[in-house]
Amino acid sequence: MPFDKNAQRIAAIDWLRGIVMILMALDHASWFFNSQRIFADSVLLYEPGAQFAADQFFTRWITHICAPTFIFLAGTSIAISNFQRQQQGMSTAAIDRELLLRGAFIALLDIALFSFIGGKPVLQVLYAIGISMMLLAHLQRLGAGTVFWLAILIIAGGELLLMAWWQPGGETPFWLAITFAPVFGEQYSVLYPALPWLGLMMLGWVFGERLIAQQSAAWKPERLLMTCGWFALTLFVVIRGLDGYGNLFMHLEGNTLVHWLHVSKYPPSLAYTLLELGLMAILLSLLMRLESWKKTIHPNGPVLVFGQTALFFYLAHFAVLTALKPLFERGSLEQTYGITLLVLIILYPICRAYRNLKWRHPQSWLRFL
């Protein structure tokens, strides 16, 4: 699928982002309403020898792709948006200022809004996204090649720093918590330390630059994604099988599929990152092929609408889940899937109306959402 430099959006990216939003809604509906929900994706949360029901495990596992995909695609969208703004005559300084402002706004949503609701400081995915955007505003000046290798260094070498400075379950300095190591404490929690996720956004930005440049017809984006996806999955199998570096203390305890897929998300291990990026790349490649085959794309398809209003969806789905909480007791997994469907039905017209409003007022504060 060639990149159209005059197009405002790439449907495949919006489709994938929409799929991620749906899976995220399932995970958070499970958090609100699933009495048997599994949350053991870190050495800080997992008790060795624990047994997981397959349906509960895979309901949690399929949502692992959400954060890496959303953050990677955020980087891709930044590259494309910057290019389009340059084409419109916007200065580099103005483009950087927009990115810094949006990053600060998104990070503050976690620091202010969600921390206020949670009753203590809680730094989650919006913190990681916002800080990464602000850093990327400066890092992108280094050029695609340098940013790529810095991203690889962060993703592949982060565990070396943790092994030197971090002992799971021990005291974690605040500076390390906000950069590399998670904390689940009574005074504050950091689920998404910024720097591992910055590496993913940097990779996404490099891919966005590659989409714009289209330097080699022999390596179309779909083919590049498919090749990189299978390469990442192969590396995952090697690293998980060796069961040493790259697993962040989440070692294999058996040879079942559940054991192989039970990897560390908090913080993201190399095994986790390779697995999720590999699956994401293959899926995005297939969606790009689908986009090139389709003669027309329905502009109001639910997946597309959710993908085009992702940050608004993120905020709104929490409001809907909270509103539904008095109506349902915590219960079965089947109920969780039903509530997820209800949430999506409620959110579709709201997200569609918001999208139309945002597009009618492109320079309003709504651009930050």
Side-chain angles (χ1 to χ4, degrees):
M1 186 205 74
F3 174 68
D4 182 357
K5 295 185 179 183
N6 297 314
Q8 292 299 308
R9 306 194 69 98
I10 298 174
I13 291 177
D14 287 332
W15 283 334
L16 183 54
R17 195 181 279 118
I19 292 169
V20 163
M21 291 297 102
I22 292 169
L23 291 175
M24 181 200 66
L26 170 62
D27 187 44
H28 292 159
S30 180
W31 175 25
F32 273 68
F33 300 107
N34 180 8
S35 61
Q36 301 299 318
R37 179 179 185 256
I38 291 172
F39 186 59
D41 313 317
S42 166
V43 69
L44 300 177
L45 302 170
Y46 174 63
E47 295 183 5
Q51 299 296 313
F52 302 131
D55 55 352
Q56 293 284 353
F57 176 83
F58 285 107
T59 295
R60 172 64 179 170
W61 179 79
I62 60 175
T63 69
H64 274 184
I65 199 172
C66 294
T69 299
F70 191 78
I71 293 174
F72 179 95
L73 293 181
T76 302
S77 297
I78 287 169
I80 295 172
S81 176
N82 287 352
F83 174 81
Q84 291 172 339
R85 287 171 173 168
Q86 288 170 356
Q87 294 294 96
Q88 295 165 3
M90 186 178 289
S91 68
T92 299
I95 292 171
D96 289 349
R97 185 168 58 250
E98 279 287 302
L99 187 54
L100 287 168
L101 285 173
R102 187 161 193 249
F105 175 77
I106 291 172
L108 284 171
L109 285 175
D110 250 355
I111 296 171
L113 178 61
F114 286 101
S115 294
F116 174 77
I117 294 172
K120 66 176 181 179
V122 180
L123 302 183
Q124 302 186 74
V125 68
L126 295 186
Y127 159 77
I129 292 172
I131 295 298
S132 296
M133 283 182 170
M134 296 172 72
L135 292 173
L136 188 58
H138 303 286
L139 289 169
Q140 62 186 348
R141 299 286 159 258
L142 300 175
T146 302
V147 171
F148 173 78
W149 288 111
L150 281 175
I152 296 299
L153 180 63
I154 291 170
I155 292 169
E159 189 166 333
L160 284 174
L161 295 177
L162 285 174
M163 290 169 66
W165 294 332
W166 184 57
Q167 182 62 41
E171 190 71 23
T172 301
F174 182 71
W175 69 267
L176 188 59
I178 62 175
T179 53
F180 272 108
V183 169
F184 299 88
E186 294 182 0
Q187 295 184 336
Y188 69 92
S189 293
V190 180
L191 278 69
Y192 286 80
L195 293 188
W197 302 100
L198 170 64
L200 296 181
M201 186 175 287
M202 291 164 68
L203 277 186
W205 180 84
V206 172
F207 176 67
E209 290 288 298
R210 174 67 179 78
L211 272 178
I212 294 165
Q214 287 286 293
Q215 295 174 353
S216 172
W219 281 92
K220 295 180 179 179
E222 305 95 303
R223 183 183 175 193
L224 179 65
L225 284 166
M226 187 64 72
T227 302
C228 291
W230 284 111
F231 179 70
L233 292 182
T234 302
L235 281 182
F236 161 76
V237 172
V238 172
I239 289 172
R240 194 68 175 132
L242 292 174
D243 198 27
Y245 183 87
N247 287 279
L248 270 177
F249 312 106
M250 294 282 287
H251 298 295
L252 280 169
E253 294 186 346
N255 205 31
T256 67
L257 183 60
V258 168
H259 287 121
W260 273 74
L261 298 180
H262 187 218
V263 290
S264 175
K265 180 183 178 183
Y266 306 104
S269 66
L270 179 57
Y272 166 89
T273 302
L274 288 169
L275 175 60
E276 303 309 329
L277 284 185
L279 293 172
M280 180 219 67
I282 292 170
L283 183 54
L284 183 55
S285 175
L286 294 174
L287 290 173
M288 283 184 162
R289 294 175 191 274
L290 177 62
E291 182 179 354
S292 65
W293 293 337
K294 289 179 70 70
K295 294 182 179 179
T296 59
I297 296 170
H298 197 295
N300 294 319
V303 176
L304 190 71
V305 170
F306 293 151
Q308 292 175 341
T309 57
L311 183 53
F312 175 81
F313 180 104
Y314 180 86
L315 299 174
H317 93 288
F318 276 120
V320 173
L321 286 169
T322 301
L324 293 175
K325 197 171 182 179
L327 305 179
F328 298 94
E329 298 288 337
R330 292 177 64 85
S332 69
L333 187 59
E334 291 77 9
Q335 173 186 261
T336 296
Y337 277 88
I339 292 173
T340 302
L341 179 59
L342 177 60
V343 169
L344 297 176
I345 291 171
I346 293 171
L347 283 176
Y348 172 69
I350 298 173
C351 288
R352 183 174 169 181
Y354 171 78
R355 183 191 65 173
N356 294 338
L357 178 64
K358 181 179 178 180
W359 286 359
R360 284 199 301 271
H361 305 281
Q363 297 306 315
S364 72
W365 65 270
L366 297 174
R367 70 187 187 278
F368 294 126
L369 291 176

